Amino acid sequence: MTTPVGSGAVVDLLGALAYAELTAFDRLAEDARLAPTLDGRAALARMAAAEIGHHGRLHDRLAELGADPGEAMAPFVRVLDAFHESTRPSTWLEGLVKAYVGDGLATDFYREIASFLPEPDRALVLDVLADTGHADFAVREVRAAITANRAVPGRLSLWGRRLVGEAMSQSQAVIAEHDRLAELIIAGTGDLSGVALLIERITRAHTKRMKALGLNP
Amino acid sequence: MTTPVGSGAVVDLLGALAYAELTAFDRLAEDARLAPTLDGRAALARMAAAEIGHHGRLHDRLAELGADPGEAMAPFVRVLDAFHESTRPSTWLEGLVKAYVGDGLATDFYREIASFLPEPDRALVLDVLADTGHADFAVREVRAAITANRAVPGRLSLWGRRLVGEAMSQSQAVIAEHDRLAELIIAGTGDLSGVALLIERITRAHTKRMKALGLNP
């Protein structure tokens, strides 16, 4: 990618992601308490710990770029908090589906945008987005629950679809409010049909994740 | 120390500490949400992450000793949960005092007992008890709050004294219920006057911490 990227857009993206990691920590830590076993609780707590490690790296990079990390995160607090408020899991399995399906969706989205960034920020973002063990653990637990109880997949499929709906509407809101991010996406994808292809790729990956859990996308 | 220590007592201590680290994670993660700034929130989240790292090391050592980590932790769940339930901070400053004064007290207690353990468990316990940054951060924040508001020290001093009272009564309950731990402490300290000296050392360190915060012990 040779698109010139304004440093403002880089700060926006790193700020959004830094706050996303901080809320991911919160949420995984909260959901850990829903775990039916001490092992499950520790597994989610370890994932939360990985997120805060990522947060620290993004925070340090923002400072290195001369940005105030708190200010860079501030514009994304409301919308990310709103997303988590509106998708608060009420069971351990809902929490796992959110960790896998919701975070997977967010990760794909940030990863697409990261490909438009210059180095070293592209590598940093791709690195902090690397799976922290959510995937295998969530897939294993959810599939086991589905085998044990046939009512589970129907309810969790609905939950998965609700997560996507909320994620889509919140990310549209973020982009609409942040011109520099919107410009970055348009410039990076080339044009609006590029944007449509990006959404298609993200949707396809989401469908694959729902199926991996044994759910109906 | 050359006291022979039964492997049962080692498993008890590692089990208690492993669960203590898991609850410390939970509690720090919860208190992080009381932070007045994103930086404070991230600071507490990082401390929580360090605790879960310690938990993982104790968990692995228990498995290495042939113990089931879940079973080793189980006897300590009720009492440690009860302690946290009865000392749930209602403000950011209460959370910091608990992180510093409460964890300091627990750390001193575990460290005293660790000195009776054979290697490599003694080194492992001392290592996971090493300060994860609570101390400096808590002292700085609490002292700043005291400077800003003269009503703060009175309320927080009371809170600190309540924490010690609860910690003392809960740890007595743990020891009373676990013969192997009680024997370890008696054998390690030599006799009951050794136990009294141990309590005196712990109390002295507690007083020092309260004063470091600017509080009345």
Side-chain angles (χ1 to χ4, degrees):
Chain A
M1 241 338 123
T2 53
T3 325
V5 174
S7 68
V10 174
V11 168
D12 275 353
L13 186 68
L14 298 183
L17 194 49
Y19 189 70
E21 298 278 7
L22 193 54
T23 51
F25 168 85
D26 264 358
R27 194 219 338 125
L28 286 166
E30 201 177 319
D31 295 351
R33 261 166 265 149
L34 298 169
T37 62
L38 290 179
D39 273 353
R41 189 166 142 195
L44 240 67
R46 272 194 298 276
M47 291 179 206
E51 308 284 6
I52 204 67
H54 296 161
H55 166 83
R57 292 180 61 191
L58 294 160
H59 177 280
D60 293 349
R61 175 62 181 155
L62 281 164
E64 202 176 279
L65 288 169
D68 179 291
E71 279 175 28
M73 288 188 277
F76 305 99
V77 168
R78 198 189 46 76
V79 67
L80 284 167
D81 284 355
F83 171 71
H84 288 302
E85 269 311 312
S86 66
T87 57
R88 192 179 282 278
S90 58
T91 65
W92 168 240
L93 291 174
E94 284 186 2
L96 288 178
V97 170
K98 184 169 168 184
Y100 180 58
V101 165
D103 290 8
L105 203 69
T107 296
D108 284 344
F109 176 70
Y110 287 118
R111 198 175 273 146
E112 289 275 355
I113 302 184
S115 70
F116 312 143
L117 297 184
E119 293 296 0
D121 297 300
R122 188 197 313 183
L124 171 65
V125 171
L126 293 177
D127 201 36
V128 302
L129 292 174
D131 179 40
T132 54
H134 288 46
D136 282 354
F137 180 78
V139 171
R140 208 169 53 233
E141 291 269 319
V142 174
R143 293 197 76 103
I146 285 175
T147 310
N149 180 351
R150 301 195 57 189
V152 164
R155 272 187 285 117
L156 288 184
S157 297
L158 276 175
W159 170 247
R161 291 199 286 278
R162 195 171 129 213
L163 288 173
V164 194
E166 288 287 343
M168 289 289 185
S169 77
Q170 299 287 358
S171 49
Q172 276 161 16
V174 171
I175 295 165
E177 280 173 29
H178 294 85
D179 292 347
R180 298 185 301 199
L181 277 182
E183 282 160 21
L184 175 66
I185 294 170
I186 302 282
T189 50
D191 53 23
L192 284 178
S193 73
V195 175
L197 288 172
L198 182 155
I199 294 171
E200 202 183 300
R201 282 193 296 278
I202 291 181
T203 310
R204 209 160 37 227
H206 166 72
T207 302
K208 211 170 137 192
R209 271 188 298 269
M210 289 287 279
K211 285 184 178 162
L213 290 176
L215 302 180
N216 202 354
Chain B
M1 241 338 124
T2 54
T3 324
V5 174
S7 69
V10 174
V11 168
D12 274 353
L13 186 68
L14 298 183
L17 194 49
Y19 189 69
E21 298 278 5
L22 192 54
T23 52
F25 168 85
D26 264 359
R27 194 220 340 126
L28 287 166
E30 202 177 317
D31 295 351
R33 260 166 265 148
L34 298 169
T37 63
L38 290 179
D39 273 352
R41 188 167 144 195
L44 239 67
R46 273 194 297 275
M47 292 179 205
E51 307 285 5
I52 203 67
H54 296 161
H55 166 83
R57 292 180 59 192
L58 294 161
H59 177 279
D60 293 350
R61 175 61 182 156
L62 281 164
E64 203 177 278
L65 288 169
D68 179 292
E71 280 175 27
M73 290 188 275
F76 305 99
V77 169
R78 199 188 45 75
V79 67
L80 285 167
D81 284 356
F83 171 71
H84 288 302
E85 269 310 313
S86 64
T87 57
R88 193 179 283 278
S90 58
T91 66
W92 169 240
L93 292 174
E94 285 186 0
L96 288 179
V97 171
K98 183 169 170 184
Y100 180 58
V101 164
D103 290 9
L105 203 69
T107 296
D108 284 345
F109 176 70
Y110 287 119
R111 198 177 273 146
E112 288 275 355
I113 303 184
S115 69
F116 312 144
L117 296 185
E119 294 294 359
D121 296 300
R122 188 196 315 184
L124 171 65
V125 171
L126 292 177
D127 201 38
V128 302
L129 292 175
D131 179 39
T132 54
H134 288 43
D136 283 353
F137 180 76
V139 171
R140 210 170 49 236
E141 291 270 319
V142 174
R143 293 197 76 102
I146 285 175
T147 310
N149 179 351
R150 301 193 58 186
V152 164
R155 271 186 286 118
L156 288 185
S157 297
L158 276 176
W159 170 247
R161 291 199 286 278
R162 194 171 131 214
L163 287 174
V164 194
E166 289 286 343
M168 289 289 185
S169 77
Q170 299 287 359
S171 48
Q172 276 161 17
V174 170
I175 296 165
E177 279 173 29
H178 295 84
D179 293 347
R180 297 184 302 200
L181 278 183
E183 282 160 21
L184 176 66
I185 294 170
I186 302 282
T189 50
D191 53 24
L192 282 179
S193 71
V195 175
L197 288 173
L198 181 155
I199 294 171
E200 203 183 300
R201 282 193 297 277
I202 291 181
T203 311
R204 210 161 35 227
H206 166 71
T207 303
K208 212 171 136 192
R209 271 187 298 269
M210 289 288 278
K211 286 184 177 161
L213 290 176
L215 301 180
N216 200 355

